[in-house]
Amino acid sequence: MEFTIKSGSPEKQRSACVVAGVFDNRKLSLSAELIDRASNGYISEIIRRGDMEGKLGATLLLHNVRGTLADRVLLVGLGKERDFRDREFRSAIRSAVKLLNETGSYEAVLYLTEEKVKRREVVWRVEHAVVVAMEAVYRFEQMKSQPTEVRRPLRKLTLSVPQRSDLTAGEAAAARGLAIAHGMDLARDLGNLPGNVCTPAYLGERATQLGAEFPDIGVKVLERKECEELGMGSFLSVTNGSEQPPRFIVLEYMKSVRKAKPCVLVGKGITFDTGGISLKPGLDMDQMKFDMCGAASVLGTFRAIAEMKAQVNVVGLIPACENMPSGRATKPGDIVTSMSGQTIEILNTDAEGRLILADALTYAERYEPEAVVDIATLTGAMVISLGHVASGLFSNNETLARALLTAGDDAYDRAWQLPMWDDYQEGLASNFADFANISGRAGGSITAACFLSRFAKKYEWAHLDIAGTAWKEGKEKGATGRPVPLLTTWLLAREAPA
Ligand code: BES
Ligand code: MN
Ligand code: ZN
């Protein structure tokens, strides 16, 4: 989809559709008011008849509204004016775009971006309108023999800003939104692909492709032999049961103007998690194709920053493999030596994410990073504690944690911090190795983070557990592209503090 920014009166737009908001209860927004005046009170007449109360997300499509130059006027409910915040703004945009995409308009002029949102400026509204619009029209149909055709898909959206002086900043915001949306699309596509297509080798190929498409991104894909030479005994122990060879993907994007050390993003890339010998139950096991969504979010974030030509230094590290049972698979009780030299007693082969991240965190040391953030669908317990709304955040540095929480809030891709006190470390004790890979069931997400912290002592580090936020279940089952918005927003804010 294409986006442009414009400033002007709604009744004067020569367009297939003009979109204007109505607040609950029947209160016209400024743009709806202008259309009302131009049409001699047609809008208020319709509203008086009770066809549009202004309830959040309600839509009413009108044709040939007199006094206007557009073919259609779409009224969108915005809910109560004093409750109009991030969530309401995004939900109104989503309703409008879904309807436009399913009806006859190829293009439209959206006036919802003119509505005031508490705490947010016009650039925020434009950026988010673009992200939400792209999210709303996303479809994953590459595996269907006959993709369903959208008859007249929405091709072009014009976003209206209140003043001509907002145009330049608005255009930059739209470009940022589009880059984030493209990053999310990539992360969603990779997440949605089945495990038999999206293998570790496939992830490596897609990373290489990304580097070809964006020459600012350097890509290196390590194979098993190189990982062995690096001493990645923890990572490689997870691949033992699989016929699919592992990959360790390294991405580098160095465009900061301040010659800084890079931030490192580490993404969990388990392309399918059966649990290994500690086999998972059958119910919903198909969802474990999403166990590489951390990796996908790293690739998506690289796509976003490269498209923006952002002036940042970032390294991406993706340990990728399958977790399968077999005669050669790692067994409970096996002890492995990690790249850090620390030995690990693998008491449960289903706690594999932390095993592959451990060696990637050690590999990160060579960059002397400013900060390291790992992103992983790490624990089922995360879904129990925070549900599908917030990602879990853990960190050994409060300033870094704050910055990530703020970025998540700004990007509407929120995280919530959980404690990492040393008291939680005790459960990992082992009689046979330096420590074990699991603790009891209690506080499972925190003890998993504690395990990772033992490999992240040499730098500022944070861990995002995205088990509840990386994909949706049910009717809308599919990858979400989170936390690409959070990560991208965080990287940009680091270079240009507000
Ligand atoms: N990939 C899973 C975590 C997961 C499970 C994410 C369900 C989303 C939904 C991870 O590898 C795993 O299996 N974790 C175990 C850890 C346990 C064995 C300590 C879990 O959460 O059950
Ligand atoms: Mn597992
Ligand atoms: Zn897993």
Side-chain angles (χ1 to χ4, degrees):
M1 208 192 322
E2 194 190 309
F3 295 88
T4 51
I5 310 294
K6 197 167 181 177
S7 172
S9 308
E11 73 280 9
K12 298 200 184 116
Q13 303 303 318
R14 254 177 231 290
S15 167
C17 189
V18 164
V19 185
V22 178
F23 288 106
D24 192 3
N25 192 343
R26 305 183 180 188
K27 180 171 184 275
L28 299 187
S29 64
L30 178 62
S31 45
E33 186 77 52
L34 291 171
I35 298 170
D36 191 45
R37 261 183 245 160
S39 64
N40 282 323
Y42 179 59
I43 304 294
S44 37
E45 182 188 325
I46 280 180
I47 285 190
R48 239 176 290 118
R49 286 186 197 151
D51 290 324
M52 169 50 78
E53 300 287 338
K55 294 262 179 290
L56 183 62
T59 49
L60 181 64
L61 188 61
L62 308 168
H63 289 260
N64 306 320
V65 176
R66 57 179 183 254
T68 67
L69 298 178
D71 301 337
R72 307 169 184 78
V73 169
L74 174 62
L75 297 180
V76 179
L78 303 179
K80 293 256 185 282
E81 190 168 10
R82 66 182 155 76
D83 296 338
F84 196 64
R85 293 168 200 277
D86 298 5
R87 180 179 132 86
E88 290 72 24
F89 173 80
R90 291 170 53 102
S91 141
I93 302 272
R94 192 174 299 116
S95 307
V97 170
K98 286 222 153 126
L99 185 131
L100 290 168
N101 198 41
E102 281 154 18
T103 50
S105 310
Y106 282 113
E107 52 89 33
V109 188
L110 203 67
Y111 277 83
L112 305 181
T113 37
E114 293 208 4
E115 302 307 327
K116 286 209 166 59
V117 179
K118 293 222 169 63
R119 298 197 297 137
R120 306 301 189 189
E121 305 296 327
V122 61
V123 287
W124 185 95
R125 303 196 303 259
V126 168
E127 182 180 318
H128 280 252
V130 172
V131 170
V132 172
M134 292 288 289
E135 241 173 9
V137 302
Y138 174 86
R139 277 189 175 69
F140 181 78
E141 302 216 307
Q142 46 183 294
M143 302 304 291
K144 302 220 188 212
S145 61
Q146 256 135 12
T148 51
E149 242 183 275
V150 179
R151 228 169 26 86
R152 289 164 189 268
L154 185 60
R155 295 249 167 79
K156 187 175 163 205
L157 205 52
T158 301
L159 308 178
S160 178
V161 293
Q163 274 150 22
R164 298 198 56 82
S165 58
D166 295 326
L167 288 174
T168 313
E171 273 154 19
R176 251 184 348 259
L178 194 58
I180 290 175
H182 286 150
M184 293 173 81
D185 284 354
L186 172 60
R188 293 175 85 174
D189 281 350
L190 291 173
N192 288 333
L193 281 169
N196 61 328
V197 174
C198 186
T199 58
Y202 181 84
L203 279 180
E205 283 162 27
R206 291 297 296 261
T208 306
Q209 263 177 34
L210 191 64
E213 199 179 337
F214 296 94
D216 289 336
I217 305 178
V219 181
K220 201 162 59 175
V221 180
L222 311 187
E223 305 203 349
R224 186 196 307 273
K225 191 154 171 298
E226 292 154 285
C227 296
E228 277 166 6
E229 282 159 16
L230 285 162
M232 294 182 163
S234 185
F235 169 42
L236 291 172
S237 75
V238 178
T239 80
N240 284 349
S242 171
E243 302 289 326
Q244 294 292 338
R247 293 287 186 271
F248 189 92
I249 304 165
V250 182
L251 305 122
E252 295 180 4
Y253 178 95
M254 300 291 193
K255 298 275 282 182
S256 175
V257 285
R258 56 182 179 95
K259 293 215 175 63
K261 296 286 181 195
C263 290
V264 179
L265 303 178
V266 180
K268 171 176 173 182
I270 296 288
T271 58
F272 197 83
D273 182 11
T274 65
I277 297 298
S278 312
L279 192 65
K280 286 183 180 295
L283 184 71
D284 288 338
M285 205 207 271
D286 66 287
Q287 295 189 13
M288 285 299 114
K289 73 173 185 178
F290 294 117
D291 213 15
M292 35 54 69
C293 282
S297 78
V298 172
L299 291 168
T301 301
F302 269 77
R303 197 193 187 292
I305 57 160
E307 182 176 319
M308 288 178 204
K309 300 192 190 304
Q311 296 183 328
V312 298
N313 285 348
V314 202
V315 169
L317 301 177
I318 298 173
C321 68
E322 262 185 356
N323 187 20
M324 298 288 282
S326 99
R328 272 191 289 272
T330 298
K331 305 169 290 299
D334 285 3
I335 294 175
V336 298
T337 303
S338 66
M339 184 176 170
S340 71
Q342 300 176 102
T343 61
I344 306 162
E345 184 184 16
I346 301 177
L347 288 176
N348 189 319
T349 64
D350 198 12
E352 86 298 339
R354 59 197 82 182
L355 294 173
I356 71 169
L357 293 172
D359 285 341
L361 289 170
T362 303
Y363 188 91
E365 287 174 6
R366 68 181 54 203
Y367 294 97
E368 296 172 35
E370 276 197 350
V372 178
V373 179
D374 78 70
I375 308 100
T377 48
L378 203 64
T379 62
M382 203 66 244
V383 191
I384 307 299
S385 49
L386 295 182
H388 302 290
V389 176
S391 304
L393 171 70
F394 306 80
S395 183
N396 62 11
N397 182 285
E398 276 312 301
T399 313
L400 175 60
R402 287 266 122 237
L404 287 161
L405 290 171
T406 303
D409 182 57
D410 288 344
Y412 205 78
D413 182 8
R414 291 163 300 183
W416 193 258
Q417 192 178 2
L418 285 88
M420 282 205 62
W421 299 308
D422 283 342
D423 311 59
Y424 287 106
Q425 293 277 359
E426 289 159 14
L428 292 169
S430 161
N431 285 353
F432 307 107
D434 294 352
F435 44 86
N437 75 329
I438 55 163
S439 181
R441 256 165 59 84
S445 306
I446 304 178
T447 53
C450 286
F451 177 91
L452 296 177
S453 74
R454 295 169 183 234
F455 300 88
K457 290 190 191 133
K458 300 209 172 128
Y459 42 69
E460 294 176 10
W461 158 82
H463 156 60
L464 285 165
D465 192 333
I466 58 166
T469 52
W471 74 90
K472 289 185 180 164
E473 298 170 28
K475 203 161 73 51
E476 289 188 78
K477 185 170 180 176
T480 60
R482 292 178 67 182
V484 170
L486 180 160
L487 294 169
T488 309
T489 304
W490 171 68
L491 288 168
L492 292 177
R494 265 187 94 83
E495 272 336 272

